[in-house]
Every structure is written in C-alpha cells, then in structure tokens.
Amino acid sequence: MKMFSVSHKTAFVVDHCPYMAESSRQQVECDVLTKSRAQGVIPLAPVSKSLWTCAVECSMEYCRILYDVYPTNKLVNYIVSDSEFHILNSWRQEDQSTHELMAALAAVGPPNPREDPECCSILHGLVAAVESLCKITELQHEKRTALMDTAERVANRGRIICLTNAKSDTHVRMLEDCIQETILEQNKLAAGSDRLMAIQQCELVLVHIYPQGEDTLVSDRPKKEISPLLTSEVHSVRAGRHLATKLNILVQQHFDLASTTITNIPMKEEQHANTSANYDVELLHHRDAHLEFFKSGDLHMAGSTSRDSGLKETVTLKWCTPRTNSIELHYCTGAYRISPTDVNSRPSSCLTNFLLNGRSVLLEQPRKSGSKVISHMLSSHGGEIFLHVLNSTRSTLEDPPSISEGCGGRVTDYRITDFGEFMRENRLMPVSESAHDPSGKLPAERAKAQLERHTRYWPMIISQTTIFNMQAVVPLANLIVKETLTEEDVLTCQKTVYNLVDMERKNDPLPISTVGSRGKGPKRDEQYRIMWNELETLVKTHAGATDRHQRVLDCIVACRSKPPEEEERKKRGRKREDKEDRTEKNGSKDTDDKSWQDSDRLKGMLDKEEQESEVIKDSPDSPEPLNKKPRLSTDEVQPPERAKGPVSLLSLWTNRIAAANSRKHQEFAGRINSVNNKAELYQHLKDENGMEVHENGKASR
Amino acid sequence: MPTVVLMDVSLSMTRPVSLDGSEDFQRKNLAVHGLTMLFEHMAANYRLEFTSLVAFSSLWELLVPFTRDYNALQEALSNLEDYDKTCVESALHGVSNIVQQEWGSSCPCQVVLVTDGCLGIGKGSLRHSFHTLKQRGDDKKFPLPFPFPAKLFIMCVANAEELNMTDAMENLEELLHLNGGEGQIFTMDGPLCLKSVQTMFGKLIDQAYSPFHAVLHCGNLSSDVQVFPRPEPVVVDEEVEPMPRTVNTDLEIVGFIEIGDISSPPVISRHLVLPIAVNKEVDEVGTGATDELEEEASASQMAGKSPNFCVLLHGSLKVEGMVALVQLGPDWYGMLYSQADSKKKSNLMMSLFEPGPEPLPWLGRISHLGPISEAAENPYGEDDSKSPFPVQPQIKRSYAQNVTVWIKASGLQTDVQKILRNARKLPDKTQTFYKELNRLRKAALAFGFWELLKGVADLLERECTLLPDSAHPDAAFQLSHAAQQLKLASTGDSQYAAFDHNIVPMHTDFSS
C-alpha cells in the first residue's frame, strides 16, 4: 500500500437523523436467569438496539481493528450528520483513538426522534467529509516539507464511508452527484491554499442500513467510476449482525488485511481447572503475512476455510507448545500487528494475555504431506502483538565458510571478553525526542561519537597490549574515554598513575606478552617503559578533549621514568606542541566543537605515530605497532635508523613487513596533495558554507 | 540470489558466424565462451552463489541443479547437444518450477537467458505466446512475472541491428516488461566474435555479479568486508520516493543491543559479512617475479594471522548474545550478529531492516537511540536485570485495554451478568461492582444505547427486592443508588450522562 493511497484518510459519515432512532428489531436477551433463581421472577424484556446504535458500534469496531493494525498514518475523521454536521475529531494523530471517539459520540447521544426530519440530511455530513478530505494531514505536511521541490509526489486521496438509511436508488444517485460537485468546488478552493490539498481520488462506500424484517429500498452496487475523481459502491445491509460482518469485510478490503485462525490453543476450563480444552481464535493482520501461501498456491493446503457463505477466508495455523525463547534470533521476513476479531471473548483474551505476558508462540502450517513446518510466530513487543513470518524455505546462505577460515581467523588471542565489556558500555537506549542536546546532534550520532572516543586506542589482541591486561590501569582507562572529566575523575586517574609508579618502584611484574620474543622477554625496566609508552599513547588520543584530560597526560609525563636522552627529546617535542596548541586555540575560537575534537584527535594520532616509531627504534622487542592504524610517517622516519649502523635481523624483518603493509592501504588524500609533506587541514572551514562533503571511500560496483 | 542459466540449444544456435579470420565458430560456441567467462568470474569472486543450468529448445532439461561447483557447470556446458526449435514459454515455466521447488516463492533469483534472438516459429514461439496472452485461462498463464522476485538478463548472441530487423527485439522487450521491467537485454556490439561476446558478458558481470565491497566501522576500528549476496537497491514507496535506495559502502556501527531486546525483528534480506584482505594489486616496488609469488603466499597466510575486527566483533557478539546496530545509509539500518550454521561453523551476518526511520516499533526511532552513558542511571540496571526496551506505544491496543464490544449478544450478556454477579456479593464487591457498572455505562452512552441503561436499572431494582433477609443493609442502598444513577444517565441529561463522569458508591456508615 502506498503511503498516500485512499486508505491514508477515511472519513466516516454517520447518519444522525430521526429515523436512525428506529429500532433495528434485533433483540438481545440480557437477563439470563440461572435455574435456581428462576422461580417467581419475571425476566426483563429483551432490549433492542436502534439503527444508530448498530451503526455506531460497527463503525467503532472498524476503527478498533484499524487502529490495532495501523496505529499511525491511517487516519479517521468521524462526522455525524443531522440538521447540521458535527465533526467529532481531526486528522491529528492524537485524536486517533477509539476512546476519543467514544467520548465524542457520548456527547452527541442518540438521534432525537422528535426532531423535524425535513431539516435533517446526511448531505451536511457528506459535504463536511469532502471538505475534511481536502485538509492536509500531519504526514502529508511533513512529507511535502521534506520533499521540497518534488512535493507534488504527495498525493491526496481518501475514502468516505457513509452509514445511512437512504430512501431509494435515486436518493443514492443524488448523494453521489452532490459529492462529485462538492469535490470540484473544494478542489478549486484548495488550489489557492497552503493548508488544503485538492482531492485526486475519492472512494465513496455507501452503506444503507435497514431494520430486520423489512425489505430494502436500495440495491447493492459494486464499485463504479462516477468521474475520474470519484468512485462509488453501495452496500445494502440489515442492521445488527449483518452490518457487523459487512464492516468487518470492508475493513479487511480497505486495509489489505487477512485472517488467520489459531487452532488447538490449549486453555484451562473455567469450571474444571485441571482439564483443558482446545480453542480457536481468529486474528486479523496485514495480508502480507500470508504472502508465501498466496504465491505458492498453498492456501488451501494451509487449511483455509470459507465461512459466512464464502465471503471471508481464513488461514488456519496450529498452536505449537511454546518452545521458543527470547534469546533465539529467528530469521523473520515480516512482522505484522494483529487484532483479534472477537476481542473480548474468553479464548481471545486468554491468548492475548498469554502473549502480553511476554511469551511467544510458534505456529505450524499444516501441509498435505503431514510434515511439520513452523511458518509463523506470535509475540508481543511493548504491549503490541505481532505475527512474525518465519522463513521456512532453503537458505541460499547455507554452508558458508566459517569465520575462522577467513582473514584474521587464525588469531587466537582476541580480547573477546574486553570487547564484550565494550559492547555493554556502548549499548543503546531510547532517548526522548524532547531531550535536546546542546551540540544539536541526534542521539544516534552521539552514540557513534562515543564509539569513536572509546576506540581511539583499542588493541584487538591480548599480546598487543600491556595496559589493558593490568587491573591497576582499569580506573584510568574507563575514565579517560569520557567526553568530559570531573575534578574527581582527574584525581582517580592521577591516583592510578601514582599507583603504577609505586608498582614500578616495588618492581612488581607486568603482564607483558612474551609472544614473538626469544627467552624470557624484556627486562623489568624495559617492561615498564613499554607500559608507560602505551599508557601515554592511550591518554594522548584524548588529551585534546578538555584541560582535565590534558592534566592526566601531564601527570603521566611527569611521573613516568625515562632514559635521560629520551626525556630531553620529549621536552623539546612538548614545547613545540604547546606552541602549536596555543596558536590553534587563538585561530579557531569560533569554530564548533567537532572540528576541535577532530583536530586534536588527528594531532593525537600524529603523536602516537611518532611514539610508536620510537618504540620500534629503541627496543626491537617492544610490541608491534597496531598494524591497522594509518601510517602517517613513512620512510622519512626510517633512514636515521638505517644510518645507525648494524641492524638486527628483527628490525630488518619488521621493516620489510612494514613496507609491505604500507603498500596495502590507500594513500591519504592529504598526503597526496601535500606540499613539502605538509597538508593543510580543514580547508573547508575557509569556505563560507563549511558543508561537510561526504566522501565515499569506494564506489559500489 | 540464486542464478538460473537458461541456454538456448535450438538449431539456430548452430549458425556459423561469418568471420574473415580462419576460425570457424557457431553462435553456440560464442555463447559457451561467454558463459565460461561468467562461471570463471563467479568461481573466483562470487563463489557462494548457487547456479543451475537449464538447456531448452522445444523442450527443456535441467542439466545441473543448483550448485556452487562451477566445474560441474563448466563440464555440462561443454557437452551441450543441438536440438530443434526455440520455445521460450515452456522453458520459463521450467525455470519457475525449478526455482520454487528449491527456494520457495520469496527468494529473489536471477535468470540469465542466453539465446540468438530467433524466438521460434509457429506454435510455441514467443510471438505466438504473446498473441494468445489475453485469451488464457488461469491454468495456462504465461510464466512471467514469476511468483518470486526475479531479474531477467537476456544475453543475445546477435547484434541489435539484426534483432531490430525482425520483431525479435520487440518481443524480448515485451518479455522484460512482463517481468515488471526487472532485468536487461544485452546485445553484441560490432561483429560477432569472441571479443564482443566477452564484452557483453563483462557488462552482465558488472551489472549483476560484481562483489559488494564495503568497510565496516566501529568508531576507529574497521575492517574491509565483502557483503554476500550483494544488497540490492530498495524502493520504499515508488510514489513518494521513486529513487531506489542503495547500501553505503561504509557501514557504521551505531551501538549494541541485546538479542532479547531486538527480538526476532523482520528483515528484508540477510547477508554474510566476510572480512577480506585489502587489495594488493598496486605493486609498484619492482621485485622479481619469484619474489612476488612468495609474497602472494605469505600474504594470504598473513591475512589469516593478522587480527581482523570482524573476527573480534563476531566472537564478542556470540559470547554476549548481542547484535550490533549498523547504519546502511540515511534512515536505513541493519543488524550484525553471529549466525551458527552448525556447532563448529559460525559467521558474521548482516540483516537489513526495512528502510525508514523506525523499522522496528519496539525500538522507537533509531536516530533517537543514544548511548546509555547519558542516562543518570544505567537503564539496564547494575546487574543487567532491566532493559529500556521495548518502547511502549502511547496508546494501548484494544486487546490490552479491556474494551467493550457488544456486536455479539454474548458480549453484552457477559457484561450484564458480571454486574449482577457482583451485585449479589455487595458490599464485599462494591469496588468491582461499580467498576463494571461504569464500564457498561460509558459504552451504552457512546453507542447511544439508553434503553440498555434503563434495562439494567430495572434489573438492579429487581435484585434489590430479591435480597435475602440476611443481606447486609448496605447492599440495598447501593443497588437502588446505582439503579437511580443509571436511570438519570438514560435521560441524556448532560449533568448525569457525561462520558467522563463515574458513578461513585453511595457513602454509607453502618459502623455505629
């Protein structure tokens, strides 16, 4: 169904003229006497509903099913007509509920039989319905605004369901002509208005209601085209049960619904609690839930039965004793909201309550071969019940190569548990639409930003890291990734650092990986140097975020032990950095936070690269640098090393691998365009619009 | 997306191709050459695709059932025999049966029809099929459109001019039209030769069998991946948004959700996410040929041994029982999860949700899912005992809110009996009595069913007279109070018949 098909807007026009107060002559016995009390008591006379009551309750049932299956974007405008029209609600989403409509209907009350029939007409309501169909809905407005220059794609179609007691076929024709004229008139008006839209297609469904035992004065007529704008169909129905069935069929036709009967539902008997009988419950839902049956022609095999003289079809599915649990991820090709046809019958409410309590039921499709095929599942989510369609055919993805056979499949020391912890920290939650973030970012964007912060330094395997294998580092590692730090956080981080200093002083062993190195691995002081380097790398990637982050880095730099000459070099480096920092701060005060973060991050990465190359240079046994990280400094760093004279076998090998790896990634655009190996960053900030150009890494082929 | 290759083996395919060179080719040879190229490409770059081979003339025959064994397909191709005339309709019926038997009717398929554009003569010809299209009963329908979503690629071992001389092109276009426009007709450019047939099949490969490569990102962690089968463009609503949506080549993880919370969501397609080694085709450093070979071998070994983010992600998703929510494009999302094929083999899978801002009602708008760190209190609880999902809809559905429906007489009778049952147990059941009474009152007012209000009032009054002597005196007071209130409401007097008004128990005090 298209978004703006005729089903987007339904105007109900219900006749409220004096003759609707007439009795339907269908009597309901509401005083059911039990045998023991029957003596001497005169039972109450049966009550009978008026034509109005029948029309209202059947239209409410139509709306109930509609709102159950389509809670949004399928809208009803309810209009009552007597000597004038009464519009009971609007197209607005908050007005779309049966409760709202019932309250409005109660205010209208039943028709007044003493009112002058000459002044009353269904026409008032029909004219109001056409006017109402011209009014723009929230969704139409939203889409028109979103589509801008292609706003004409938003169509305006609608349906008028008129429940009335017409006098004759000629009367019906007069009503049709009147609607046709009103549409033309209103369309002219709509052309000159922003809040109105011309009607492109209108479907009139006229239901003539007459009391039981009378002959109809109006004949049934299938849908016919009155004009390119208007089609009309007439249904002549007796009030009561027949009207209810008719509207039930109509709601299915109008909204592409189909019926499924769940059979074999075990249910405890009211009288004998220890026995259970099997019940059937009929549900309505979008007909796509039966798509597979329709296409395969399996419909009759699936136990389809015709009821009500072939007017209505239902597919029977068998209840399977619940065996599924919520932790299982079924391959589900569709999920459709349901509405029970007989909502407050005991079997229906037992089934719906069972599901609302959080249990799921698998459903079995009976097949001619007698084999069992689980084809559907009923399950509730947040108080709504859905019929899930499960895939029951052969998968085209069967027998795929296992992930352990592919890239990275032979590595055995992934930090699976740590990444699991990472995932828990990066779980999502619904954030209310009203909660506005000062940065103007949507919650999902903030979630991505958090992922970015948390992964600035994240070694994937255990042997690549020391700090993440140390319990003592955990407090700092958890805090430093935060967007902002409190004074207390900084204190905790500093404590962590002091604790590490303490450990070093006491010469505590470190969990350094000995993979890839001969003998016992590096010496203790070497181990600590590796650890400090790694910690510094981690903190540096965040140091630019806030002053407090920077203070944590300062603390590490101040506390860590270093060979004297390296100390010296570092100091020089920092000074230079500071200078850069200041100029940058002065230069871009008015740019937004994001570019701040980015520039700092990039700088952090640059620093890290420097750092890593140092690691290689100074200690051949140090862990390999992250090979997934972009390599910003290339051969320029290497030559001094070669110049140093004798080279170890390992560094020869490492250089070779590094050279091979460096060929495996695309060169950075910045470096390609650089002048003297210097690329200008944030050129876009100079542009007036400053729009971020999304760059597609690879074109899809 | 399984592929059926439908090969024309009619006599016309044996027509020799006029070439000035020494080689003597039939059109069939060219077709086989093209298909060989296709199979070789698939074996190398698309090897998970299931393909079957059907040969047809006036009859059709399934030569190779769906397989990933491209050698078998190749072999069948080299043993083709020549038969009589072309009959496309029956062959398409065959394809329809073969596909439905194997994959059901919802699995999208690709049909590659290889023909020379001679579409048969007389009865059974495509021309004849189209002539009779409108005079057919339900049992003899034309096989197109297929019951399953299908793309039809027509490979003509002929050039466009040749096809345009007859009505062949017209008929082929009609065929495509009947398939809902899904697919394409390929013809050969220039003289019929090996080169032009290669060009034609090359276009098909680009169009339908090029692997989909993407980069999976999770913050700064990333991995190059192949997504198989290729995600196809999706049209959501052709009226409002006629441009098909395509999956980005950058797949960005937004965050993580428990499997129980995502709760078997409906998906439009499923894909394997296979990590791949980055392309090493640009090898500028001039090393010797032998050296290169060595490097090649060590490179594939290294690919297995160097850590890959996909493997890490897969492992943790499996252990934790979670899925990763991944953004595929603007307002389009999917999920990554571990899928076990057997006890030992498992894989990283990606399922695509219906495009749109809110594909799963129980998650709410995806763009409004934020990090839990923003909440004052962890919504999952300290011990993971809670969950912020599912998102509750604003209005409860009818089955969750005790609605009143009296369409069937039994519904009304049940509601009246409920009131009477409670009436006999007054004053113990005072609360329930009034609750049920008010429910009935509201519905009767909304439906304009005032007669019922009077009737129930009469019933209550009668109950009052039938009270046994042992009854609590309060019972009589409450019954007559309730009856009176119902009668007042049945007059429609706005003071008593307001919908939101509730009848409250009469205040009595029998304690003294």
Side-chain angles (χ1 to χ4, degrees):
Chain A
M1 206 189 303
K2 286 180 197 153
M3 193 181 281
F4 299 113
S5 68
V6 281
S7 300
H8 177 52
K9 292 164 147 180
T10 304
F12 257 106
V13 182
V14 184
D15 200 338
H16 194 250
C17 297
Y19 48 78
M20 289 296 280
E22 234 178 274
S23 165
S24 67
R25 298 195 210 134
Q26 187 181 26
Q27 299 192 321
V28 187
E29 203 72 62
C30 62
D31 189 17
V32 187
L33 291 169
T34 48
K35 278 176 197 155
S36 58
R37 293 170 52 90
Q39 287 112 7
V41 179
I42 307 148
L44 190 80
V47 289
S48 81
K49 297 172 187 170
S50 62
L51 293 181
W52 165 258
T53 299
C54 289
V56 166
E57 70 175 0
C58 292
S59 60
M60 277 299 113
E61 182 69 359
Y62 182 105
C63 295
R64 177 187 73 77
I65 292 167
L66 167 59
Y67 291 146
D68 273 356
V69 180
Y70 297 94
T72 55
N73 298 341
K74 299 282 174 267
L75 310 171
V76 170
N77 192 203
Y78 206 100
I79 299 166
V80 166
S81 180
D82 42 40
S83 59
E84 55 185 354
F85 62 84
H86 311 267
I87 299 181
L88 304 192
N89 69 339
S90 75
W91 296 122
R92 290 195 313 183
Q93 193 61 53
E94 71 232 46
D95 278 3
Q96 303 295 318
S97 84
T98 46
H99 186 266
E100 293 286 323
L101 290 174
M102 300 260 281
L105 280 166
V108 170
N112 179 1
R114 280 175 296 280
E115 204 167 351
D116 179 9
E118 291 303 311
C119 321
C120 296
S121 167
I122 189 72
L123 265 178
H124 302 296
L126 288 173
V127 170
V130 173
E131 284 172 14
S132 172
L133 287 180
C134 286
K135 284 183 194 147
I136 192 166
T137 65
E138 287 161 317
L139 185 68
Q140 286 176 322
H141 177 68
E142 185 190 309
K143 288 289 165 191
R144 277 215 309 195
T145 321
L147 289 172
M148 303 273 279
D149 45 341
T150 51
E152 75 280 356
R153 283 189 196 146
V154 176
N156 189 36
R157 308 186 179 97
R159 183 181 284 125
I160 300 175
I161 302 178
C162 175
L163 304 180
T164 184
N165 179 292
K167 290 176 187 66
S168 62
D169 287 345
T170 335
H171 184 204
V172 169
R173 254 196 308 282
M174 186 274 284
L175 295 178
E176 285 167 350
D177 291 345
C178 176
I179 292 177
Q180 168 66 21
E181 257 170 57
T182 317
I183 292 177
L184 293 177
E185 263 169 45
Q186 289 299 316
N187 279 359
K188 270 182 214 148
L189 271 179
S193 165
D194 250 6
R195 305 302 300 179
L196 297 178
M197 282 176 85
I199 298 172
Q200 283 151 304
Q201 191 191 344
C202 177
E203 198 177 295
L204 173 68
V205 180
L206 197 132
V207 183
H208 166 69
I209 308 170
Y210 60 97
Q212 306 243 340
E214 264 181 32
D215 286 332
T216 178
L217 301 168
V218 174
S219 40
D220 262 9
R221 204 190 59 209
K223 192 193 275 190
K224 83 164 191 204
E225 197 171 277
I226 307 276
S227 79
L229 291 178
L230 179 68
T231 61
S232 160
E233 62 191 89
V234 182
H235 303 270
S236 182
V237 205
R238 265 173 292 170
R241 192 163 50 85
H242 301 279
L243 179 63
T245 312
K246 174 57 77 180
L247 280 177
N248 185 288
I249 292 167
L250 287 177
V251 74
Q252 292 191 50
Q253 283 172 0
H254 294 167
F255 294 95
D256 292 347
L257 305 186
S259 152
T260 296
T261 302
I262 316 297
T263 182
N264 262 9
I265 305 175
M267 201 171 86
K268 291 234 158 49
E269 290 281 3
E270 210 163 4
Q271 314 298 334
H272 321 278
N274 48 357
T275 61
S276 72
N278 290 338
Y279 287 90
D280 293 0
V281 171
E282 190 192 348
L283 306 174
L284 295 177
H285 49 78
H286 195 278
R287 66 162 169 240
D288 278 358
H290 290 163
L291 207 60
E292 187 76 11
F293 299 150
F294 282 128
K295 281 186 176 168
S296 61
D298 233 5
L299 203 60
H300 286 273
M301 245 97 79
S304 148
T305 51
S306 298
R307 299 180 329 176
D308 293 334
S309 62
L311 283 170
K312 193 167 158 188
E313 289 212 316
T314 185
V315 168
T316 306
L317 295 174
K318 198 167 149 240
W319 166 289
C320 293
T321 314
R323 252 177 296 124
T324 182
N325 56 27
S326 63
I327 313 162
E328 216 176 326
L329 202 57
H330 294 277
Y331 175 24
C332 162
T333 53
Y336 306 93
R337 289 186 176 87
I338 60 104
S339 183
T341 4
D342 201 357
V343 65
N344 47 11
S345 76
R346 218 173 87 82
S348 283
S349 61
C350 274
L351 175 65
T352 51
N353 285 333
F354 179 85
L355 294 166
L356 290 173
N357 283 333
R359 275 167 289 191
S360 302
V361 186
L362 294 173
L363 303 173
E364 190 187 311
Q365 174 199 354
R367 283 208 175 162
K368 56 178 172 185
S369 58
S371 60
K372 256 188 159 186
V373 178
I374 307 275
S375 61
H376 291 79
M377 177 177 78
L378 277 171
S379 185
S380 79
H381 311 284
E384 287 187 287
I385 300 174
F386 290 81
L387 182 61
H388 291 248
V389 183
L390 304 180
N391 182 64
S392 48
T393 51
R394 185 179 166 193
S395 162
T396 54
L397 296 178
E398 67 187 26
D399 199 25
S402 173
I403 192 144
S404 59
E405 294 160 21
C407 290
R410 312 306 280 290
V411 180
T412 49
D413 64 337
Y414 283 107
R415 294 170 59 204
I416 298 282
T417 321
D418 290 349
F419 197 72
E421 188 54 40
F422 167 90
M423 294 192 318
R424 300 183 161 277
E425 284 161 13
N426 286 287
R427 274 181 294 186
L428 300 167
M429 63 168 185
V431 178
S432 75
E433 317 229 348
S434 53
H436 186 69
D437 186 69
S439 70
K441 273 188 190 172
L442 284 169
E445 293 303 317
R446 304 204 291 270
K448 281 192 207 160
Q450 174 167 312
L451 284 176
E452 190 281 317
R453 284 200 310 278
H454 284 211
T455 53
R456 282 184 199 167
Y457 178 71
W458 214 98
M460 287 194 280
I461 56 175
I462 296 167
S463 53
Q464 261 178 355
T465 178
T466 306
I467 55 170
F468 292 112
N469 299 331
M470 293 169 65
Q471 202 54 42
V473 183
V474 170
L476 184 146
N478 283 346
L479 287 173
I480 200 74
V481 296
K482 283 170 62 176
E483 204 170 2
T484 53
L485 295 179
T486 62
E487 213 41 56
E488 201 180 327
D489 292 340
V490 176
L491 220 59
T492 314
C493 291
Q494 286 169 342
K495 266 186 205 157
T496 310
V497 176
Y498 300 150
N499 189 18
L500 292 173
V501 172
D502 211 34
M503 280 171 68
E504 186 171 20
R505 198 175 41 78
K506 284 192 275 181
N507 222 7
D508 285 350
L510 289 181
I512 292 266
S513 163
T514 51
V515 177
S517 62
R518 279 159 290 125
K520 281 186 259 172
K523 291 198 188 101
R524 191 61 46 89
D525 59 336
E526 188 66 21
Q527 289 182 0
Y528 270 93
R529 223 169 44 73
I530 294 168
M531 186 277 288
W532 283 118
N533 281 347
E534 197 185 0
L535 189 64
E536 213 176 300
T537 305
L538 167 71
V539 176
K540 263 187 183 165
T541 62
H542 297 278
T546 65
D547 282 348
R548 286 184 177 139
H549 285 92
Q550 180 64 39
R551 272 166 55 200
V552 177
L553 178 63
D554 292 345
C555 171
I556 294 173
V557 173
C559 292
R560 68 169 295 184
S561 58
K562 266 181 231 135
E565 77 275 24
E566 195 182 323
E567 194 92 85
E568 202 48 39
R569 202 167 50 231
K570 281 271 153 186
K571 266 183 194 159
R572 263 186 278 127
R574 254 203 321 283
K575 260 182 207 154
R576 197 179 57 225
E577 230 172 61
D578 282 351
K579 224 180 277 166
E580 275 171 16
D581 232 60
R582 265 195 297 279
T583 51
E584 216 164 278
K585 266 176 193 159
N586 293 336
S588 55
K589 251 177 199 157
D590 43 0
T591 57
D592 61 343
D593 304 14
K594 190 173 165 285
S595 61
W596 256 114
Q597 276 183 5
D598 281 0
S599 68
D600 284 330
R601 194 179 104 224
L602 222 98
K603 194 150 63 59
M605 273 158 58
L606 273 159
D607 288 343
K608 192 174 71 195
E609 281 306 320
E610 204 175 304
Q611 176 82 13
E612 275 171 4
S613 50
E614 266 168 30
V615 173
I616 296 169
K617 188 161 55 190
D618 293 342
S619 108
D621 281 342
S622 65
E624 266 188 70
L626 286 176
N627 48 7
K628 274 288 148 199
K629 293 291 168 194
R631 193 156 274 278
L632 290 174
S633 44
T634 44
D635 296 354
E636 273 75 14
V637 189
Q638 251 70 12
E641 197 175 352
R642 274 182 217 136
K644 257 185 177 176
V647 195
S648 75
L649 190 61
L650 180 72
S651 57
L652 259 178
W653 175 249
T654 322
N655 283 342
R656 189 188 144 86
I657 296 299
N661 280 342
S662 71
R663 268 183 268 132
K664 286 178 188 161
H665 65 73
Q666 251 183 334
E667 191 57 283
F668 291 98
R671 203 183 298 142
I672 291 170
N673 301 328
S674 64
V675 181
N676 286 336
N677 239 355
K678 277 181 191 161
E680 194 178 3
L681 296 176
Y682 309 108
Q683 293 165 321
H684 67 277
L685 288 178
K686 288 180 182 168
D687 297 339
E688 257 320 293
N689 51 6
M691 286 258 282
E692 232 180 291
V693 184
H694 185 74
E695 194 186 320
N696 237 356
K698 287 174 185 169
S700 62
R701 276 157 294 177
Chain B
M1 255 208 312
T3 294
V4 184
V5 173
L6 188 55
M7 175 76 178
D8 186 345
V9 290
S10 67
L11 221 47
S12 64
M13 288 290 281
T14 61
R15 282 182 290 162
V17 178
S18 49
L19 271 182
D20 36 54
S22 56
E23 288 162 302
D24 192 17
F25 281 125
Q26 297 176 354
R27 297 202 186 217
K28 189 176 88 172
N29 301 131
L30 292 181
V32 168
H33 181 74
L35 284 174
T36 304
M37 177 179 159
L38 175 66
F39 290 157
E40 276 171 0
H41 167 82
M42 286 162 100
N45 302 304
Y46 220 67
R47 66 199 158 91
L48 292 176
E49 176 89 342
F50 280 99
T51 304
S52 75
L53 180 63
V54 177
F56 78 102
S57 55
S58 61
L59 302 170
W60 59 271
E61 186 188 357
L62 175 61
L63 295 181
V64 185
F66 286 102
T67 180
R68 285 172 180 158
D69 180 356
Y70 285 93
N71 291 331
L73 287 162
Q74 193 59 62
E75 203 180 305
L77 212 53
S78 52
N79 294 326
L80 286 179
E81 286 177 44
D82 305 325
Y83 294 91
D84 55 346
K85 61 172 188 173
T86 310
C87 179
V88 177
E89 179 172 352
S90 71
L92 291 174
H93 268 300
V95 169
S96 181
N97 289 339
I98 292 167
V99 170
Q100 284 192 82
Q101 256 172 34
E102 197 75 47
W103 311 104
S105 52
S106 51
C107 176
C109 286
Q110 319 203 71
V111 179
V112 178
L113 168 61
V114 185
T115 179
D116 58 351
C118 289
L119 302 169
I121 42 162
K123 217 169 170 220
S125 70
L126 197 58
R127 191 179 302 115
H128 182 258
S129 296
F130 288 148
H131 274 310
T132 56
L133 208 56
K134 292 205 172 102
Q135 307 124 36
R136 295 170 184 233
D138 267 357
D139 49 333
K140 280 187 183 163
K141 274 206 300 207
F142 194 72
L144 292 184
F146 291 119
F148 44 88
K151 283 196 178 150
L152 180 61
F153 297 109
I154 304 172
M155 314 302 293
C156 293
V157 188
N159 48 42
E161 299 83 63
E162 190 184 339
L163 296 172
N164 279 324
M165 276 195 288
T166 61
D167 59 351
M169 189 53 123
E170 219 172 281
N171 285 329
L172 291 176
E173 275 165 1
E174 175 67 16
L175 206 56
L176 211 58
H177 173 72
L178 283 176
N179 196 42
E182 289 290 334
Q184 201 175 324
I185 300 169
F186 294 89
T187 55
M188 289 168 63
D189 293 329
L192 306 185
C193 61
L194 289 178
K195 200 169 165 232
S196 55
V197 84
Q198 276 174 9
T199 316
M200 178 170 74
F201 274 85
K203 283 184 200 154
L204 170 70
I205 289 169
D206 284 347
Q207 171 85 16
Y209 296 99
S210 57
F212 184 89
H213 289 169
V215 185
L216 177 64
H217 298 276
C218 174
N220 294 303
L221 297 170
S222 69
S223 169
D224 290 279
V225 294
Q226 180 186 350
V227 178
F228 181 91
R230 308 192 315 177
E232 295 297 323
V234 177
V235 176
V236 187
D237 184 326
E238 59 198 9
E239 188 171 277
V240 180
E241 218 187 316
M243 284 296 286
R245 297 216 200 177
T246 50
V247 171
N248 271 354
T249 46
D250 279 294
L251 308 170
E252 286 190 309
I253 291 180
V254 179
F256 302 87
I257 296 178
E258 310 271 349
I259 283 185
D261 287 337
I262 201 118
S263 189
S264 299
V267 301
I268 56 173
S269 60
R270 286 195 314 171
H271 308 266
L272 287 167
V273 177
L274 308 162
I276 48 171
V278 191
N279 219 338
K280 45 189 180 298
E281 58 201 348
V282 208
D283 217 346
E284 281 172 294
V285 188
T287 39
T290 46
D291 227 30
E292 232 163 56
L293 268 179
E294 246 171 53
E295 212 163 83
E296 197 93 331
S298 71
S300 78
Q301 268 184 355
M302 266 179 51
K305 283 180 183 164
S306 60
N308 188 294
F309 172 62
C310 281
V311 186
L312 171 68
L313 175 69
H314 168 266
S316 299
L317 289 175
K318 189 175 180 173
V319 171
E320 300 287 336
M322 289 210 251
V323 305
L325 199 66
V326 60
Q327 179 153 18
L328 313 167
D331 271 344
W332 195 8
Y333 302 88
M335 63 172 177
L336 291 160
Y337 54 97
S338 160
Q339 169 86 13
D341 194 44
S342 60
K343 266 183 189 156
K344 280 200 171 163
K345 279 187 171 182
S346 68
N347 246 296
L348 190 61
M349 285 269 240
M350 179 165 76
S351 288
L352 312 190
F353 301 143
E354 189 85 37
E358 200 181 331
L360 310 175
W362 50 95
L363 296 190
R365 268 174 180 268
I366 304 279
S367 59
H368 279 81
L369 295 180
I372 52 170
S373 59
E374 288 181 3
E377 203 179 315
N378 187 347
Y380 289 91
E382 287 314 312
D383 51 351
D384 276 346
S385 56
K386 294 188 290 186
S387 168
F389 300 106
V391 173
Q392 302 283 338
Q394 280 170 339
I395 299 173
K396 280 185 178 175
R397 303 289 154 254
S398 69
Y399 45 82
Q401 56 169 329
N402 198 13
V403 292
T404 315
V405 179
W406 291 333
I407 289 196
K408 287 189 178 166
S410 61
L412 178 56
Q413 283 157 358
T414 314
D415 284 346
V416 173
Q417 289 308 311
K418 241 186 244 170
I419 292 173
L420 290 183
R421 246 197 334 270
N422 285 302
R424 283 162 208 149
K425 290 177 189 156
L426 286 171
D428 298 347
K429 294 279 185 183
T430 307
Q431 290 309 317
T432 347
F433 171 74
Y434 279 101
K435 196 182 128 214
E436 291 298 332
L437 192 73
N438 281 313
R439 192 163 78 88
L440 175 125
R441 178 186 169 278
K442 270 195 172 39
L445 287 173
F447 298 153
F449 200 179
W450 292 354
E451 194 182 339
L452 178 73
L453 294 175
K454 287 186 205 112
V456 174
D458 290 345
L459 279 176
L460 293 180
E461 276 172 353
R462 188 189 68 197
E463 283 303 317
C464 197
T465 64
L466 293 174
L467 283 173
D469 298 340
S470 57
H472 195 282
D474 196 21
F477 281 101
Q478 299 297 352
L479 281 175
S480 47
H481 166 69
Q484 190 203 2
Q485 289 292 316
L486 286 185
K487 281 203 169 142
L488 285 170
S490 75
T491 59
D493 184 327
S494 59
Q495 194 188 337
Y496 300 99
F499 186 72
D500 288 323
H501 174 78
N502 273 321
I503 302 175
V504 289
M506 187 181 194
H507 185 71
T508 51
D509 188 2
F510 292 96
S511 55
S512 52

